Amino acid sequence: MKTAITELFGIEHPIVQGGMHYVGFAEMAAAVSNAGGLGLITGLTQRTPELLAKEIARCRDMTDKPFGVNLTFLPALSSPPYPEYIAAIREGGIKVVETAGRSPEAYMPALKAAGIKVIHKCTSVRHSLKAEKIGCDAVSVDGFECGGHPGEDDIPNMILLPRAADELKIPFIASGGLADARGLVAALAMGASGVNMGTRFVATKEAPVHENVKKAILAANELDTRLVMRPLRNTERVLNNAGVERLLEIEKERGASLKIDDIIEEVGGVYPKVMVDGNMDAGAWSCGMVVGLINDIPTVKELIDRIMREAETIIRGRLGGFLDGKPEAARKPALAHL
């Protein structure tokens, strides 16, 4: 399958692995890239630019396919040394960077001078248009379903993706609620040129996280995520657990007077406790509503191969059946594993 995204990034399949804290290590990125997608190392999981350079080199030993780096821009008061991180990315020969958080505008000259293609994560059409204006090569359009930060507009992908297609000139990928071939085909139908998957890739054999995390994803359904930090306008979708319940109680008690310090134990330093130690009640960790569609833990290659094979079945079989005047055939399940 060829789309604007496969051509832009030089990959086989229009599937991108999202940047995920304490998940996007070399093992994860290499597995996705080797399977034909675009794997991403999560830059700020590496505590220093020097460690990021080593992680990039480690990934190069695992794959000869294109892979990229996610770089999240945090508020100024907590900014890491971004010029040094960008230098490590440039010197590591990385040609694709996924930016997230604050606008990457201040760093675009350095990224473009290095010949790096930039894909920026956006939760609204207006932010996507700004990313296009400042020179981003593509955007990741994140709907309300997504794990992590869905923004404050609460627009689901059934509306957000067609709106993005109406407005954008650069290609975009769909993020949020994507786990299988049905999501890929739907995203393509609504104007996207590919998909970004985060939570789905955590539930794979190669994902370098504690087994408790994978079991929690399998056990969860689409009703098991919660939105936290809404009063702070820093909304995050997370998987429910005892730590999240504590957080929500504090939010309820504090109301409009809530400060980040009130919930710091439930949101600060949580990822190593969850992803490395397997303490599933430690606090809030990003997870999408898509957990309701995740029922197994395949290898990354098995997952991507299955998505692409079943996407073709849907397009040529089920959808083609409607056009060929065969509604009975079109009504039959297109996916053997469902």
Side-chain angles (χ1 to χ4, degrees):
M1 182 183 290
K2 289 187 181 298
T3 73
I5 287 295
T6 63
E7 299 302 286
L8 182 64
F9 297 140
I11 56 179
E12 184 181 357
H13 305 307
I15 297 174
V16 178
Q17 166 239 319
M20 296 172 283
H21 203 34
Y22 274 83
V23 180
F25 292 102
E27 294 89 343
M28 185 84 264
V32 174
S33 290
N34 283 331
L38 181 69
L40 296 174
I41 293 171
T42 305
L44 296 189
T45 294
Q46 304 301 318
R47 296 187 307 279
T48 67
E50 293 77 17
L51 289 174
L52 176 57
K54 291 180 180 178
E55 195 70 7
I56 291 170
R58 203 161 71 86
C59 196
R60 289 239 177 267
D61 289 338
M62 298 179 186
T63 184
D64 59 358
K65 302 290 181 63
F67 66 93
V69 171
N70 164 277
L71 197 56
T72 297
F73 293 107
L74 301 171
L77 291 177
S78 55
S79 286
Y82 288 116
E84 288 85 351
Y85 274 98
I86 292 171
I89 290 168
R90 181 188 67 242
E91 292 163 12
I94 296 296
K95 293 303 180 185
V96 181
V97 167
E98 177 195 60
T99 57
R102 296 172 69 88
S103 170
E105 185 171 8
Y107 302 98
M108 288 297 289
L111 292 165
K112 302 309 287 186
I116 293 170
K117 293 182 174 66
V118 177
I119 179 168
H120 186 55
K121 292 178 71 68
C122 302
T123 59
S124 69
V125 173
R126 63 185 182 280
H127 293 148
S128 299
L129 288 169
K130 178 63 183 298
E132 180 178 79
K133 183 177 180 180
I134 65 173
C136 291
D137 300 276
V139 290
S140 173
V141 178
D142 290 24
F144 184 56
E145 307 93 328
C146 73
H149 299 279
E152 307 301 323
D153 293 343
D154 301 357
I155 308 298
N157 269 331
M158 285 291 286
I159 305 300
L160 190 57
L161 298 180
R163 282 288 297 118
D166 287 344
E167 300 284 347
L168 290 170
K169 297 181 179 65
I170 57 175
F172 68 93
I173 59 174
S175 181
L178 286 311
D180 58 29
R182 295 169 297 181
L184 172 60
V185 173
L188 295 174
M190 287 187 282
S193 294
V195 296
N196 175 301
M197 298 195 305
T199 304
R200 171 67 267 198
F201 277 128
V202 180
T204 57
K205 287 187 167 61
E206 293 93 337
V209 301
H210 199 283
E211 285 301 309
N212 287 352
V213 178
K214 301 178 186 183
K215 290 176 182 177
I217 290 173
L218 285 189
N221 65 42
E222 67 275 14
L223 302 176
D224 289 329
T225 66
R226 298 291 183 271
L227 296 174
V228 300
M229 296 191 288
R230 298 228 88 173
L232 302 176
R233 291 191 63 79
N234 188 31
T235 302
E236 183 177 6
R237 186 178 297 283
V238 300
L239 191 67
N240 195 33
N241 59 40
V244 170
E245 293 288 355
R246 290 194 302 271
L247 191 163
L248 291 171
E249 279 299 314
I250 295 169
E251 288 188 351
K252 184 177 179 181
E253 291 171 6
R254 298 285 193 274
S257 66
L258 182 76
K259 302 287 190 298
I260 187 65
D261 289 346
D262 297 329
I263 56 172
I264 196 66
E265 289 186 11
E266 284 75 30
V267 299
V270 169
Y271 280 84
K273 297 173 186 175
V274 173
M275 300 298 176
V276 179
D277 301 335
N279 178 0
M280 302 315 298
D281 290 323
W285 58 280
S286 296
C287 184
M289 294 176 76
V290 75
V291 288
L293 300 177
I294 299 173
N295 303 302
D296 64 351
I297 304 177
T299 67
V300 168
K301 179 171 171 49
E302 287 169 346
L303 174 62
I304 290 180
D305 284 352
R306 182 170 74 198
I307 290 173
M308 298 312 301
R309 181 178 64 251
E310 294 182 349
E312 182 173 353
T313 298
I314 292 171
I315 294 167
R316 295 186 186 278
R318 186 168 197 273
L319 300 183
F322 292 124
L323 295 177
D324 293 338
K326 300 175 181 177
E328 289 302 319
R331 276 202 296 267
K332 293 179 181 177
L335 310 185
H337 75 282
L338 294 178

